[in-house]
Amino acid sequence: MNIFLDNVNLDSQTGPNHFGKKLVKYLLKQGHTFDQHKTPDAQISFIERTHRSGPVWHTARRLDDGAAPIPLIQRLDGIYFDPTNDYKLQNENIFKTYEAADGIIFQSEFSKNLVFKHFGEHKNYTIIHNGADLELINSAEPFAADREYDSLWCCASHWRPFKRLEENIRYFLEFSSANDLLIVCGSARYPANVFKHERIVYTGDVDVPTLLSIFKAADYFVHLGRYDNCPNVVIDARAAGCEIICASVGSTREVAGEGATVVLEEQWEYSPEPVNKHRPLDFTKIIKNEQDSDIDMSRVAEKYSDFLTNTIKGL
């Protein structure tokens, strides 16, 4: 199958693009191609359709000349819902793609519930969690810290208020031992989030190999953000051997692994709410995760292939 991958920058390290690079690698292993000089058999648009898949604009409807359309698959994580912004306008092209798509790939049950709440149900969809490149992770050398420590903790993100770096730090300081170390990866652009402490190291932005080497050395990965649809950093950290600590709102617990630590919040019904409102967590409300998931990227790619094949057959 020749696939046109839309709205993906394989040179970027952001979550969707990082996943896109893994998806291409493992679909190529299965014999699929991404040759933009040939007519595609299917188009996968990440979040929204932005490009033309060939010499004409292909849609889910038949073209004027009677040629068969290119099947359109939309890979969706989240959508906008913050009432302090015009979230319906922000969602406009995402919704148009949703209506035109022959099939929807949601990254999580959380993502599906959020989209169904605001866009309505889609007739053809599947849920496929993101996966980890186990080959790459297994080849990574563990990071060597400049100081001795008992346990190494880590968190990583493109930090925004709803990622709750303050809560990650507060959890670490409350539950770590006196000789534990926390490494914070990613630019902490919000001054209130940058808490200086002798046992906390801020790396700023790092490349994927460096990040994986830190994950390989770490014992715990803290990800207490809210609204995440399927965080790649959590999947990679779990695959590298970290114990995951997460919050209950969002999809993180779906991929955190059985036995992960989950800090409970009041259930959210997917209604509009300000995403950057400060919502501190109650660390007395903690349970062990009972959910499990397959995070091997080779099997994730198989699920993508199967869904594309079945969707094309059903047209």
Side-chain angles (χ1 to χ4, degrees):
M1 185 186 309
N2 190 40
I3 301 168
F4 178 76
L5 207 58
D6 174 36
N7 201 21
V8 179
N9 178 4
L10 298 180
D11 294 323
S12 170
Q13 296 189 132
T14 59
N17 297 304
H18 175 51
F19 175 80
K21 190 172 184 177
K22 291 186 284 188
L23 184 63
V24 168
K25 173 181 176 178
Y26 281 90
L27 286 176
L28 286 172
K29 284 176 175 287
Q30 295 178 14
H32 301 291
T33 59
F34 294 84
D35 189 342
Q36 296 191 36
H37 299 290
K38 296 181 180 179
T39 302
D41 300 299
Q43 172 172 327
I44 303 178
S45 291
F46 279 35
I47 304 175
E48 61 186 34
R49 183 175 54 194
T50 61
H51 290 104
R52 303 182 181 195
S53 54
V56 294
W57 180 262
H58 293 288
T59 69
R61 301 176 182 86
R62 298 189 66 82
L63 303 176
D64 292 339
D65 61 5
I70 305 298
L72 173 63
I73 307 298
Q74 183 183 30
R75 176 185 179 266
L76 259 181
D77 46 12
I79 57 174
Y80 297 98
F81 52 83
D82 188 336
T84 63
N85 298 310
D86 189 348
Y87 67 90
K88 291 184 179 180
L89 179 62
Q90 290 175 311
N91 285 329
E92 187 173 345
N93 197 42
I94 302 174
F95 181 62
K96 287 180 180 177
T97 307
Y98 186 78
E99 286 190 306
D102 298 292
I104 308 293
I105 297 175
F106 294 110
Q107 294 179 38
S108 61
E109 182 73 21
F110 172 82
S111 176
K112 184 210 76 173
N113 292 340
L114 173 63
V115 173
F116 276 15
K117 170 84 173 185
H118 291 268
F119 287 1
E121 296 188 13
H122 197 281
K123 63 182 180 181
N124 181 38
Y125 74 91
T126 188
I127 297 171
I128 307 176
H129 293 121
N130 295 340
D133 185 345
L134 299 184
E135 290 180 353
L136 184 61
I137 291 173
N138 291 337
S139 68
E141 291 294 328
F143 168 79
D146 294 332
R147 52 163 288 183
E148 294 294 324
Y149 55 83
D150 291 336
S151 292
L152 181 63
W153 299 57
C154 179
C155 59
S157 184
H158 294 280
W159 296 108
R160 288 156 285 174
F162 64 85
K163 296 291 186 176
R164 293 197 287 208
L165 178 54
E166 302 103 319
E167 296 302 282
N168 288 0
I169 291 171
R170 189 166 67 88
Y171 187 97
F172 166 73
L173 293 175
E174 185 167 331
F175 291 94
S176 63
S177 71
N179 201 37
D180 287 0
L181 181 69
L182 171 65
I183 296 179
V184 179
C185 300
S187 295
R189 297 185 179 89
Y190 300 92
N193 286 348
V194 182
F195 181 86
K196 293 184 178 180
H197 193 279
E198 62 181 5
R199 293 194 291 116
I200 301 175
V201 175
Y202 296 89
T203 68
D205 291 329
V206 297
D207 58 24
V208 170
T210 301
L211 194 62
L212 295 181
S213 72
I214 294 172
F215 292 167
K216 288 288 287 288
D219 301 284
Y220 304 100
F221 186 83
V222 192
H223 193 84
L224 295 174
R226 185 178 172 94
Y227 312 122
D228 278 290
N229 287 277
C230 197
N232 284 284
V233 287
V234 170
I235 291 170
D236 287 346
R238 175 187 163 194
C242 296
E243 180 179 325
I244 306 299
I245 300 156
C246 66
S248 62
V249 170
S251 76
T252 308
R253 67 186 299 180
E254 295 181 41
V255 295
E258 189 174 5
T261 298
V262 180
V263 182
L264 295 177
E265 299 185 74
E266 183 178 350
Q267 187 172 341
W268 178 47
E269 299 300 333
Y270 311 102
S271 298
E273 65 179 25
V275 298
N276 289 328
K277 180 181 177 180
H278 181 57
R279 291 180 172 84
L281 292 164
D282 182 354
F283 295 152
T284 66
K285 297 178 179 179
I286 290 176
I287 63 170
K288 287 299 181 181
N289 198 31
E290 296 181 352
Q291 296 178 260
D292 203 0
S293 62
D294 188 348
I295 57 172
D296 185 336
M297 192 62 213
S298 65
R299 287 190 284 274
V300 169
E302 288 176 2
K303 293 177 183 178
Y304 270 73
S305 178
D306 290 344
F307 184 69
L308 264 63
T309 300
N310 291 334
T311 297
I312 292 171
K313 287 180 179 178
L315 293 178

